[in-house]
Amino acid sequence: MSTTAVSARPSSKPQQETAYRILFIIGICHLLNDSIQSVIPAMFPILEKSMGLTFSQLGMIAFSLNMVSSIMQPVIGMATDKKPVPFALPIGLTFTLFGVLGLAFASKYEWVVVSVLFIGLGSAVFHPEGSRVAYMAAGPRRGLAQSIYQVGGNTGQALAPVITALILVPLGQVGAAWFTVVAAIAVGLLIYIAFWYTGRLQLELSTLSKKNQSAANSNKKISKAVWGALVLILFLIFARSWYISGMTNFYAFYAIEKYSFSIGQAQLFLFAFLVSGALGTFFGGPLADRFGKKAVIFLSMILTVPLSILIPFVPSAVAFILLILGGFILMSSFSVTVVYAQELIPGKIGTMAGLTVGLAFGMGAIGSIVLGYIADTFGLTSMIIFTGFLPVLGILTLLLPSDKTVSEWNS
């Protein structure tokens, strides 16, 4: 039997216990990977001053990082669904390491773009394979497993303001070179994961019965209803990603303008938003295991609406509280949308992870360009107000099939 069948239907064999050790390690690797990515938006205020970049150019840098990851993640996911490559994980982080070095010593705008392309490529390799590792280690607790994995990434992203305040503000652009150490640690941990991954594939090869082999190799046609649900869940990710992109890339500038904050003070507000989002990511998975994925996705977006709309119109102390609440509630659906898509089209673990997580990056990339243009054309305040209305699109979650319906489709 080829590894194709093994990777296609890991749930076709008897349910295994949750491998918490592997989940925590891959979660830490996700934290390290995404903390490196967070260096790029964290450097925006510094690059804007040192190179005289416009908001549109900063948006293009974010676009370059996120779009290559968005395009490549589903491609890599589809390839590894057919033939898993465990050691792709450390290889991908090696690309990231070289990208960080280039970013630290780039002397002009064009070299910054080239460097972030390398970081984006490393991310494109890491995310679908990392999600596959979480799926393989999940046992019966898929929501919790995906939350442990994804909370690592969101925590890494939340470190951007701390990175700015403690490293990039005093050291400037060259301070990014310190993250080669972070990348090297991640490569080492992923080599360990790659050996576990290889052993797990070999174990499945030796224990999967012929009956299960036949089932794993079956190619069930995807119905129009499933395609419709997939398109809708991706559109919801689009709305959420644009909002997160607007806040992550531009809210610091807004806080500096509106409240006369320093860069450090503005980054503290952004840090609170991202940390609360990471916590929301962790709790969303277990809540979905208990109450259902559709319910969590719907509530996470709809309950965010009044908070996101109010943020531009309130004093700084109130905005701080609303950012914390909004980040927690909205990001509670982050890992849940990944699991929903994976169960919607079972057997395509890497592909669905690449589409959902990769699309989040890609839509955030497009959002960076559009929102940067809106900020340059209509003003920063108008852009932040517009962004606050994006979670309203969460009402479309009501059109998604229920968890029970998805389960019946795949029975």
Side-chain angles (χ1 to χ4, degrees):
M1 177 183 172
S2 68
T3 54
T4 302
V6 173
S7 64
R9 294 269 187 176
S11 60
S12 59
K13 59 186 178 55
Q15 192 76 58
Q16 304 224 3
E17 293 185 0
T18 304
Y20 287 103
R21 172 172 52 86
I22 297 300
L23 288 173
F24 286 125
I25 293 174
I26 197 65
I28 290 171
C29 290
H30 201 181
L31 184 152
L32 297 177
N33 177 83
D34 284 24
S35 69
I36 293 171
Q37 285 186 252
S38 73
V39 169
I40 296 167
M43 288 182 68
F44 279 3
I46 293 169
L47 293 174
E48 187 243 353
K49 287 187 176 181
S50 65
M51 295 185 181
L53 303 182
T54 66
F55 286 126
S56 296
Q57 286 176 313
L58 294 174
M60 183 59 71
I61 292 171
F63 176 85
S64 300
L65 169 70
N66 296 334
M67 186 51 68
V68 68
S69 177
S70 174
I71 292 172
M72 293 301 297
Q73 277 195 49
V75 173
I76 292 171
M78 285 187 285
T80 53
D81 277 337
K82 295 178 180 178
K83 184 174 177 62
V85 184
F87 282 89
L89 285 164
I91 291 171
L93 258 291
T94 302
F95 278 104
T96 298
L97 190 153
F98 286 117
V100 171
L101 274 178
L103 181 64
F105 299 105
S107 59
K108 55 184 180 179
Y109 168 69
E110 291 78 9
W111 284 112
V112 172
V113 173
V114 171
S115 298
V116 301
L117 289 175
F118 272 87
I119 296 173
L121 180 59
S123 175
V125 174
F126 174 81
H127 282 100
E129 282 299 272
S131 186
R132 186 192 309 281
V133 169
Y135 189 96
M136 294 173 72
R141 309 198 67 182
R142 292 180 185 171
L144 175 63
Q146 199 63 225
S147 284
I148 292 173
Y149 169 66
Q150 297 293 352
V151 76
N154 289 333
T155 302
Q157 294 169 20
L159 292 175
V162 177
I163 291 167
T164 300
L166 299 182
I167 299 176
L168 299 179
V169 169
L171 297 180
Q173 181 180 343
V174 73
W178 282 99
F179 286 85
T180 57
V181 177
V182 176
I185 293 171
V187 169
L189 291 173
L190 289 173
I191 290 173
Y192 174 82
I193 289 287
F195 278 111
W196 175 86
Y197 187 164
T198 302
R200 184 60 174 265
L201 291 177
Q202 292 173 345
L203 176 64
E204 291 176 351
L205 280 169
S206 64
T207 59
L208 210 56
S209 69
K210 291 184 178 180
K211 179 180 178 180
N212 283 333
Q213 290 179 33
S214 176
N217 279 310
S218 63
N219 292 313
K220 184 179 178 181
K221 185 177 180 180
I222 300 174
S223 68
K224 290 183 179 179
V226 171
W227 277 118
L230 179 61
V231 169
L232 182 54
I233 196 70
L234 294 180
F235 181 79
L236 292 168
I237 292 171
F238 156 87
R240 186 185 64 201
S241 299
W242 270 44
Y243 180 77
I244 297 298
S245 176
M247 301 302 286
T248 302
N249 292 324
F250 300 110
Y251 186 78
F253 294 107
Y254 175 77
I256 291 170
E257 178 182 295
K258 180 176 176 63
Y259 304 120
S260 300
F261 282 173
S262 66
I263 291 177
Q265 289 173 318
Q267 294 294 327
L268 177 62
F269 271 54
L270 184 57
F271 176 71
F273 173 74
L274 294 173
V275 167
S276 64
L279 290 173
T281 298
F282 178 76
F283 285 102
L287 287 172
D289 284 338
R290 180 168 184 178
F291 299 108
K293 290 173 281 296
K294 179 179 176 178
V296 170
I297 294 169
F298 174 74
L299 291 174
S300 75
M301 297 193 72
I302 294 303
L303 294 180
T304 302
V305 171
L307 307 177
S308 62
I309 291 176
L310 283 173
I311 285 172
F313 303 104
V314 295
S316 60
V318 179
F320 186 80
I321 295 171
L322 296 182
L323 284 167
I324 291 174
L325 292 175
F328 181 91
I329 295 170
L330 184 63
M331 291 302 289
S332 65
S333 65
F334 190 88
S335 62
V336 181
T337 51
V338 178
V339 177
Y340 186 92
Q342 288 176 335
E343 295 188 356
L344 194 62
I345 306 181
K348 302 294 182 182
I349 306 307
T351 304
M352 290 302 103
L355 277 175
T356 52
V357 180
L359 186 78
F361 280 104
M363 291 301 100
I366 296 172
S368 298
I369 296 290
V370 174
L371 295 175
Y373 176 79
I374 292 174
D376 283 335
T377 305
F378 301 101
L380 201 54
T381 299
S382 297
M383 185 273 286
I384 293 294
I385 292 172
F386 166 77
T387 303
F389 283 89
L390 289 171
V392 173
L393 295 172
I395 194 71
L396 297 176
T397 307
L398 294 173
L399 301 178
L400 284 174
S402 67
D403 295 47
K404 182 179 179 181
T405 300
V406 171
S407 178
E408 290 172 352
W409 284 347
N410 297 315
S411 61

